[in-house]
Amino acid sequence: HRAAGLDVRLDTGVEKLTFAGDNKAFLLVGGGSEFNLNDAVAAADENGGDTIWIGSGNNASGGSQVVVDRDVTIKGMGREVTTLNADFSTTSGNGGNDNGAWILVQAGKSLTISDLSLDGTGETIGAAIRVVGAGSFADIDRVGFNEIKGTGYDGRGVAAMDGAEVH
């Protein structure tokens, strides 16, 4: 659909908004959308720059590890009102390896995430966010971490490995 320079499309099942003359898109998750974070990351531009908006309420991450393999921004409506729920357990309850991460930022990629809470209630999560490798970066602002628990110990909120940067 197109109206007044706004193009609304469903790409891989994700509501994607683009504006005429702008090469960046906004992808919508939650807040009445049936789509999840995994779908939105997969639909984001491989060249980076897209923003994923997660609506208020409880929202699903997609049933498996969220792999950030492109530069992306994830924004909620506020950490008191937007919750991303773990809807799976990581294959390793150890936050010290990639399989233990709920959200994995791959080498050379960046994640900006803000204004939401990550809730692992009822699942085994080694690390909520794991950033791996030189050139990878995570900017984390106003994010709450609830019930992030690994196997045999409390899990990690954020793990930066092998030269990764976190701010």
Side-chain angles (χ1 to χ4, degrees):
H1 307 312
R2 190 182 257 309
L6 173 66
D7 184 23
V8 180
R9 297 176 299 161
L10 295 178
D11 288 356
T12 63
V14 174
E15 296 172 76
K16 187 171 188 176
L17 305 173
T18 56
F19 297 89
D22 191 354
N23 62 351
K24 295 182 180 162
F26 297 94
L27 298 105
L28 308 177
V29 174
S33 171
E34 62 189 68
F35 310 116
N36 60 58
L37 184 57
N38 264 334
D39 292 339
V41 170
D45 190 320
E46 290 181 7
N47 296 314
D50 286 352
T51 298
I52 298 168
W53 284 94
I54 301 178
S56 61
N58 292 309
N59 301 281
S61 62
S64 64
Q65 184 179 60
V66 177
V67 178
V68 177
D69 59 356
R70 58 203 71 202
D71 299 340
V72 69
T73 297
I74 301 169
K75 291 183 169 247
M77 305 302 290
R79 71 178 178 193
E80 299 82 18
V81 296
T82 299
T83 301
L84 186 62
N85 295 304
D87 49 2
F88 73 102
S89 288
T90 59
T91 58
S92 168
N94 179 352
N97 64 53
D98 291 354
N99 293 334
W102 175 0
I103 300 171
L104 176 65
V105 181
Q106 291 186 332
K109 302 303 175 187
S110 69
L111 168 67
T112 299
I113 185 169
S114 64
D115 301 304
L116 54 80
S117 288
L118 299 172
D119 192 330
T121 299
E123 304 294 347
T124 301
I125 304 292
I129 301 171
R130 182 177 169 88
V131 187
V132 180
S136 59
F137 176 84
D139 185 8
I140 302 168
D141 192 23
R142 297 177 307 276
V143 174
F145 298 90
N146 303 310
E147 297 295 319
I148 306 300
K149 295 181 179 179
T151 304
Y153 66 93
D154 287 345
R156 298 176 177 123
V158 180
M161 310 300 292
D162 303 322
E165 293 184 40
V166 175
H167 297 213

